[in-house]
Amino acid sequence: MKLNFTENRIAEYEGKKIELTGQYEYLGDGAFHLMMDNNYKYFTIDDITINGVDVTSLEDFIKYLIS
Amino acid sequence: MAASYDILLAELTKAYLYGRKNTTGQQNIDAASTAKIQADAIWNVSGQGGSGYATQAWVIAQGYITAAALTGYATQSWVSSNFQPILSETLGSVLFSGGGSTISEDNTNFFYDSTTIALGLGTNTPQRRLHSSVTTTGTTTAIALENNNTTNNNGNVLSFRSATSGVGASTFIEFGAVRCTYEEHDHATSKARMSLFTMNVGTLQESFIATYDGQIKAPYLASATTSNVLYYDSITGLITYGAGGGGGSGTVTNVSGVAANGFSWSIANPTTTPAITLTLQNATTSQSGQLTSTDWNTFNNKLGTALTSAYIFVGNGSNVATGVAMSGDATISNAGAVTLANTAVTAGSYTNASFTVDAKGRLTAASSSGTSFSDVIFSDYTDGTAVTASGTNTISKSVLVAANKITVGDINTLWCWFEKNGVSAANDRIYVNTSNSLTGATLIATLNPGATDKFDTIMRRFVVKSSTSTKFFAVGSSSVSDITTSTSASASVNIDWTQAQYFLFACQNNVGGDSNLCTNANLTRTR
């Protein structure tokens, strides 16, 4: 199951919509703690898609997060 | 002469013997025991005796007419047909010519019983109209029928006759017959058949045939058609049925068998004189067959179905299944329902209970001790997997908590130890997830041991406020203990405790070669 961002800061995971509410923490090695609905959740870059498209660039994804 | 006289016949060479008017006036020929009427003594009795008197002649019993007396006259027309010699033959004898001028009898072997109207041949006690009797040792021919015509298929018939009644009644009806047909008269190849005829609805039919070659045919055994014939071949021993003859059409020409249900066949001479052997193997788990004596005895010794109501079979002291009633801590009904005996415990729910258990494991006493209690959710002292990779957040230990093990109102305390060997700082974290995977896992605690740290402990308390809110110490805080102050607000995490949840203990080394692992973890709840 992948975390799919459907619009800016809004993602779907396991059939639920989750809002990216705060900061993120990059753990290295492509892994993140994403503050979503006030909880940190662990994902790697390989677990993330944007509108169903796999994220291939860590740098681009970080830019997406902070945009 | 008008009167009767005694005449000494010996003195006469010829005499005219006049007849008398009646027997009352009869005169005896005296001394007749020695008297004889000579050969020519009676002369022209019929023609010369006078009208009305010579139609009969009497010779007294003691006298007799020698055969010679009639010689030369018996064929004469003037020997009256009414001439009736008085003889002395045995009763019942049938007279026959003895040759020459003699009349003979053989009372023993040629006899007629006028009372029963029976003729005996070889017997003087005939039992039937015609009774032929022999006393020869072995078989002999008592009666012979002969037809000397040598045309093939001629023969003789012994016919049985009677009269019929009803509409069309007639007499001398042949209702049965035995016919022997000489099929071939040539001496070298002669042959015959014997037929038995019986009456069938007005038709005398050939119902049974014995042929020259030993076959027996019953053409009308099944119905009155020649296509339904029963053949018996005494040579081959075969009985066939159907159209045809001579054991040809309809004869079984081959015999074979099909093995089935444990039977196997062995057939010798299948086309000539079949000898069939049936073999039935013993039954096995997978093969049908015969029941062996051992098996039969085993089955025969099996329990029957009779059993007293609500009883069960129990092996007794003699190792024999015996029907007894279940007793003690449980009873059983005849419907199979088991009822446990009551203990002193009152049925109901107990909170933070105090229990007393007897040696049988039964609760013998139970009481609630209050609303608060403490419960260990898990306590895992085994070492987790050592994480040696550099920079990768990796699970060292995971523990599964079953669904509904943690409920609303529980205040929980989680403890865990991490041990580290290496030269660099690291990150130790605790997550909760519905799968045994970090992906999507919710972070509930984190601690960053320093480069020289060898051991670190995390203590994290959380309280399940509602089905959607579990309160944690500020998520993301690096505090090793909740026993502190924090400027961060507590975290409300939505964890569905009605599902099974994994507690994941992960490590992340900053440099390769360092080793980090979770060595133990335990979770308790109180309320």
Side-chain angles (χ1 to χ4, degrees):
Chain A
M1 178 63 66
K2 292 197 172 186
L3 178 68
N4 180 38
F5 285 89
T6 55
E7 53 186 296
N8 191 23
R9 311 191 74 78
I10 300 296
E12 289 182 351
Y13 185 70
E14 294 183 339
K16 298 177 182 177
K17 280 198 172 184
I18 302 174
E19 183 178 4
L20 191 62
T21 55
Q23 71 273 27
Y24 69 93
E25 179 184 15
Y26 181 62
L27 305 178
D29 198 27
F32 293 87
H33 280 152
L34 300 179
M35 179 64 78
M36 308 183 79
D37 292 338
N38 295 315
N39 302 141
Y40 270 125
K41 288 187 178 293
Y42 178 93
F43 292 98
T44 66
I45 193 70
D46 294 334
D47 299 323
I48 298 170
T49 59
I50 298 176
N51 293 321
V53 179
D54 288 340
V55 175
T56 56
S57 168
L58 179 61
E59 184 178 9
D60 290 346
F61 178 64
I62 292 174
K63 289 180 179 177
Y64 176 83
L65 288 178
I66 62 176
S67 63
Chain B
M1 293 182 291
S4 296
Y5 298 93
D6 292 337
I7 301 172
L8 182 61
L9 295 178
E11 297 178 357
L12 300 177
T13 57
K14 288 185 179 180
Y16 291 96
L17 299 180
Y18 288 88
R20 301 176 306 268
K21 292 182 179 179
N22 51 60
T23 57
T24 56
Q26 174 182 345
Q27 295 296 320
N28 294 336
I29 298 175
D30 199 11
S33 61
T34 57
K36 294 182 180 179
I37 300 175
Q38 296 299 325
D40 54 354
I42 300 173
W43 175 263
N44 200 12
V45 174
S46 177
Q48 303 302 321
S51 175
Y53 301 98
T55 58
Q56 291 183 342
W58 284 269
V59 177
I60 60 176
Q62 289 79 6
Y64 58 91
I65 301 174
T66 64
L70 297 177
T71 300
Y73 303 104
T75 59
Q76 300 298 317
S77 61
W78 37 268
V79 176
S80 172
S81 60
N82 291 325
F83 178 76
Q84 182 176 338
I86 298 175
L87 302 174
S88 60
E89 276 72 17
T90 308
L91 177 66
S93 289
V94 179
L95 302 185
F96 57 88
S97 171
S101 60
T102 62
I103 297 175
S104 295
E105 66 172 338
D106 184 353
N107 183 270
T108 300
N109 293 307
F110 193 17
F111 186 92
Y112 174 69
D113 187 333
S114 61
T115 301
T116 60
I117 313 177
L119 181 63
L121 296 175
T123 179
N124 57 5
T125 56
Q127 303 300 306
R128 297 292 186 270
R129 288 298 169 87
L130 178 60
H131 181 171
S132 175
S133 175
V134 295
T135 57
T136 308
T137 301
T139 59
T140 190
T141 302
I143 297 176
L145 304 179
E146 183 181 33
N147 182 349
N148 279 322
N149 187 300
T150 57
T151 303
N152 286 345
N153 294 316
N154 283 347
N156 296 94
V157 175
L158 183 60
S159 180
F160 300 90
R161 304 277 174 161
S162 185
T164 56
S165 60
V167 177
S170 184
T171 59
F172 204 61
I173 295 296
E174 187 175 38
F175 64 92
V178 177
R179 183 184 73 191
C180 190
T181 303
Y182 212 1
E183 296 181 35
E184 175 57 60
H185 281 75
D186 182 83
H187 188 77
T189 59
S190 61
K191 55 187 179 183
R193 70 173 184 270
M194 180 73 79
S195 300
L196 181 65
F197 289 76
T198 53
M199 179 66 82
N200 180 22
V201 195
T203 299
L204 192 67
Q205 64 186 19
E206 188 175 23
S207 57
F208 191 84
I209 304 169
T211 66
Y212 64 90
D213 54 358
Q215 295 180 359
I216 296 173
K217 305 175 182 180
Y220 297 95
L221 185 68
S223 64
T225 64
T226 55
S227 61
N228 297 309
V229 180
L230 178 69
Y231 298 97
Y232 170 68
D233 191 323
S234 62
I235 297 174
T236 64
L238 297 176
I239 297 176
T240 57
Y241 177 77
S249 176
T251 300
V252 176
T253 58
N254 201 347
V255 177
S256 61
V258 178
N261 298 324
F263 275 102
S264 59
W265 297 70
S266 173
I267 303 173
N269 307 317
T271 59
T272 55
T273 55
I276 302 173
T277 301
L278 295 178
T279 303
L280 179 59
Q281 71 174 31
N282 294 339
T284 66
T285 300
S286 58
Q287 174 61 57
S288 300
Q290 68 176 354
L291 191 67
T292 66
S293 176
T294 300
D295 291 341
W296 189 92
N297 288 326
T298 300
F299 294 142
N300 192 49
N301 290 330
K302 295 291 186 184
L303 284 176
T305 58
L307 181 63
T308 302
S309 175
Y311 274 39
I312 60 174
F313 280 119
V314 176
N316 64 14
S318 301
N319 303 317
V320 176
T322 306
V324 296
M326 182 183 287
S327 60
D329 294 334
T331 57
I332 189 170
S333 73
N334 62 7
V338 174
T339 301
L340 299 176
N342 291 334
T343 67
V345 178
T346 302
S349 298
Y350 295 88
T351 302
N352 198 19
S354 173
F355 299 108
T356 302
V357 181
D358 69 7
K360 298 177 182 179
R362 298 174 303 178
L363 287 176
T364 57
S367 62
S368 297
S369 60
T371 56
S372 299
F373 67 95
S374 179
D375 185 18
V376 176
I377 303 299
F378 65 79
S379 181
D380 185 345
Y381 67 96
T382 59
D383 287 344
T385 303
V387 177
T388 57
S390 174
T392 302
N393 196 32
T394 305
I395 295 172
S396 174
K397 176 189 288 291
S398 64
V399 180
L400 178 65
V401 174
N404 298 307
K405 190 66 176 177
I406 297 173
T407 60
V408 173
D410 289 349
I411 300 173
N412 306 277
T413 303
L414 176 67
W415 290 87
C416 69
W417 290 0
F418 287 90
E419 292 183 0
K420 181 177 74 70
N421 287 304
V423 297
S424 182
N427 303 94
D428 297 328
R429 302 182 179 98
I430 304 174
Y431 299 85
V432 175
N433 201 2
T434 53
S435 63
N436 190 17
S437 166
L438 289 174
T439 301
T442 299
L443 181 68
I444 63 172
T446 182
L447 179 62
N448 303 321
T452 59
D453 290 336
K454 300 297 185 182
F455 174 87
D456 57 281
T457 300
I458 298 177
M459 189 282 289
R460 183 66 75 216
R461 290 173 67 86
F462 58 94
V463 56
V464 182
K465 291 286 189 178
S466 69
S467 60
T468 59
S469 175
T470 298
K471 287 276 190 174
F472 284 89
F473 188 77
V475 175
S477 169
S478 294
S479 172
V480 298
S481 171
D482 292 352
I483 307 174
T484 184
T485 60
S486 175
T487 57
S488 300
S490 63
S492 176
V493 182
N494 185 3
I495 300 175
D496 184 2
W497 297 109
T498 62
Q499 296 186 58
Q501 298 287 350
Y502 283 90
F503 281 77
L504 306 174
F505 303 87
C507 304
Q508 182 177 4
N509 299 317
N510 288 343
V511 296
D514 285 2
S515 177
N516 200 351
L517 77 160
C518 177
T519 60
N520 64 80
N522 73 308
L523 174 65
T524 58
R525 66 169 183 163
T526 58
R527 58 183 308 153

